[in-house]
């Protein structure tokens, strides 16, 4: 499952940060996930406990911030809000667009002790 590997990736990042800070574990982690990052939030939440089990993130509080999707149509130049990767332009229904916001997926911050 795609979401599980993403969660495991975050565990890797957290393990590295904890090591770097010579800390013990992570108390809270804040993630930014774009609407068009191709991540199913439900699947991600479902994968999370399995991914963090026995890791530095096991008891961490997880906070997810959703980044709204924004795209510019490459055919008519219309700027629009996009909620799914494959949504067409609402003006001309073109599928050619440049998603300039909403594809992010990263760790914004984490707190270690
Ligand atoms: Zn358009």
């Amino acid at each position: 499952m795609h979401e599980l590997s993403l969660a495991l990736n975050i565990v890797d990042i957290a393990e590295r940060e904890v090591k770097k800070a010579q800390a013990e574990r992570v108390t809270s982690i804040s993630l930014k996930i774009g609407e068009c990052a191709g991540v199913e939030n439900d699947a991600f939440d479902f994968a999370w406990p399995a991914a963090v089990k026995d890791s530095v993130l096991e008891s961490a509080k997880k906070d997810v911030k959703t980044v709204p999707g924004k795209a510019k149509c490459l055919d008519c130049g219309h700027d629009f809000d996009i909620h799914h990767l494959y949504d067409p332009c609402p003006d001309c229904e073109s599928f050619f667009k440049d998603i300039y916001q909403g594809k992010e997926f990263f760790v914004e911050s984490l707190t270690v002790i």
Side-chain angles (χ1 to χ4, degrees), residues 35 66 108:
E35 263 185 328
T66 305
E108 188 182 39

Side-chain angles (χ1 to χ4, degrees), residues 15-97:
E15 300 270 4
R16 269 205 303 275
E17 290 300 319
V18 164
K19 212 175 205 176
K20 224 194 297 178
Q22 295 182 315
E24 203 175 296
R25 61 189 172 87
V26 178
T27 52
S28 68
I29 184 162
S30 174
L31 308 171
K32 272 202 164 177
I33 305 182
E35 263 185 328
C36 300
V39 181
E40 287 293 336
N41 281 337
D42 289 349
F44 186 70
D45 282 344
F46 182 76
W48 185 259
V52 302
K53 197 172 183 303
D54 298 325
S55 81
V56 295
L57 279 173
E58 186 161 21
S59 56
K61 193 171 139 313
K62 172 168 68 75
D63 174 46
V64 176
K65 286 181 190 142
T66 305
V67 182
K70 297 268 187 195
K72 193 180 179 67
C73 176
L74 295 178
D75 279 324
C76 75
H78 184 61
D79 216 65
F80 59 101
D81 293 340
I82 185 164
H83 305 296
H84 299 102
L85 207 49
Y86 302 108
D87 283 352
C89 168
D91 263 23
C92 71
E93 290 179 3
S94 166
F95 285 97
F96 297 102
K97 74 253 167 188

